[in-house]
Amino acid sequence: MLGDAVVSWTGGKDGCYSCYKAMLEGWQVNYLLHFRRLSGPGSHDINPDLIRAQSEAAGIPLIQRDFTSYEEEFKRTIKDLRAGGEKIEGAVFGHIQTHKRLTDRICRDLKLRPLLPLWQQDREMILQEIIGSGFEVVLVSVRDDLGRGWLGRRIDEDLLDELKDLNQSIDLCGENGEFHTLVTDGPIFKKRIVISESEQSFREGYWFLNIAGYSLQAKRNACDICAL
């Protein structure tokens, strides 16, 4: 193993796939770190219960904290873990195009190795890899200019083709806030999340898929990536 690491976790595709890639490289992921703004929900916020379901599905402990400053709360969390005897050596982030100065500063101050497997990677390649690796990813918020019809759709080859046919200003991975996602299954999960009830709502220029009912379903021959 290269060392023990934590993942900055929002429940979406980029952090989850980055976690997977870090594991394949040989990192032991000990915790998922999920932070929520005290000022209120944003366009990418996911029901904390679903985040806890992802943690259970992956078999990786979760730490959830509210914040006014992401940077300060992240640092406080790592310091608390180390004070409790944890040896955290790396931090995984799902950023593709933004926030690298922030993550570099956090990791420098904490003497962590920053792990950004998707940084400045080709967007189509990222989605192709996510699809090909067996992740199930659902769109749970979309900007109004995309339209509510995209809500609840799974990222697959058909959706990728449709995204490519849209306005060229649209980022295929949603880096400009076009959409946000929830991962319901994948190779790091021992169980999959099955959505049974949801409703749509509109707020501040975004359509949201509010998931009211879900369950965890056992998987046959689930692959334990942590054993690799």
Side-chain angles (χ1 to χ4, degrees), residues 38-55:
L38 280 172
S39 57
S43 61
H44 64 284
D45 285 346
I46 291 174
N47 183 337
D49 290 339
L50 284 166
I51 301 294
R52 287 189 281 272
Q54 287 180 319
S55 169

Side-chain angles (χ1 to χ4, degrees), residues 103-204:
T103 58
D104 283 349
R105 184 172 65 247
I106 289 172
C107 290
R108 182 191 66 236
D109 292 350
L110 292 168
K111 294 181 172 55
L112 289 170
R113 181 172 169 183
L115 306 169
L116 290 85
L118 306 185
W119 182 249
Q120 295 188 334
Q121 296 295 305
D122 178 79
R123 310 298 198 266
E124 183 175 355
M125 182 190 74
I126 291 172
L127 290 188
Q128 289 282 10
E129 289 181 356
I130 288 173
I131 295 166
S133 297
F135 284 94
E136 290 183 5
V137 182
V138 177
L139 272 61
V140 291
S141 72
V142 296
R143 210 166 57 195
D144 191 28
D145 58 330
L146 281 180
R148 64 191 299 176
W150 289 78
L151 276 180
R153 290 191 58 182
R154 179 176 167 181
I155 291 182
D156 55 16
E157 294 286 354
D158 289 339
L159 185 139
L160 176 55
D161 287 341
E162 289 181 46
L163 282 174
K164 288 162 61 178
D165 289 338
L166 292 175
N167 189 307
Q168 292 297 310
S169 66
I170 292 178
D171 188 285
L172 294 180
C173 285
E175 279 292 283
N176 300 319
E178 294 92 340
F179 58 86
H180 300 285
T181 60
L182 171 74
V183 179
T184 57
D185 194 10
I188 69 170
F189 289 174
K190 302 177 182 69
K191 301 176 182 178
R192 64 187 298 263
I193 298 173
V194 179
I195 299 171
S196 57
E197 184 180 351
S198 63
E199 59 182 13
Q200 297 181 0
S201 65
F202 184 78
R203 184 181 75 249
E204 299 177 351

Side-chain angles (χ1 to χ4, degrees), residues 74-86:
F74 193 101
K75 290 178 178 178
R76 184 178 297 113
T77 301
I78 298 301
K79 290 175 182 176
D80 288 347
L81 286 170
R82 285 174 169 169
E86 296 282 353

Side-chain angles (χ1 to χ4, degrees), residues 185-191 217-225:
D185 194 10
I188 69 170
F189 289 174
K190 302 177 182 69
K191 301 176 182 178
Q217 183 180 88
K219 295 165 59 175
R220 291 184 179 179
N221 302 319
C223 173
D224 187 357
I225 188 69

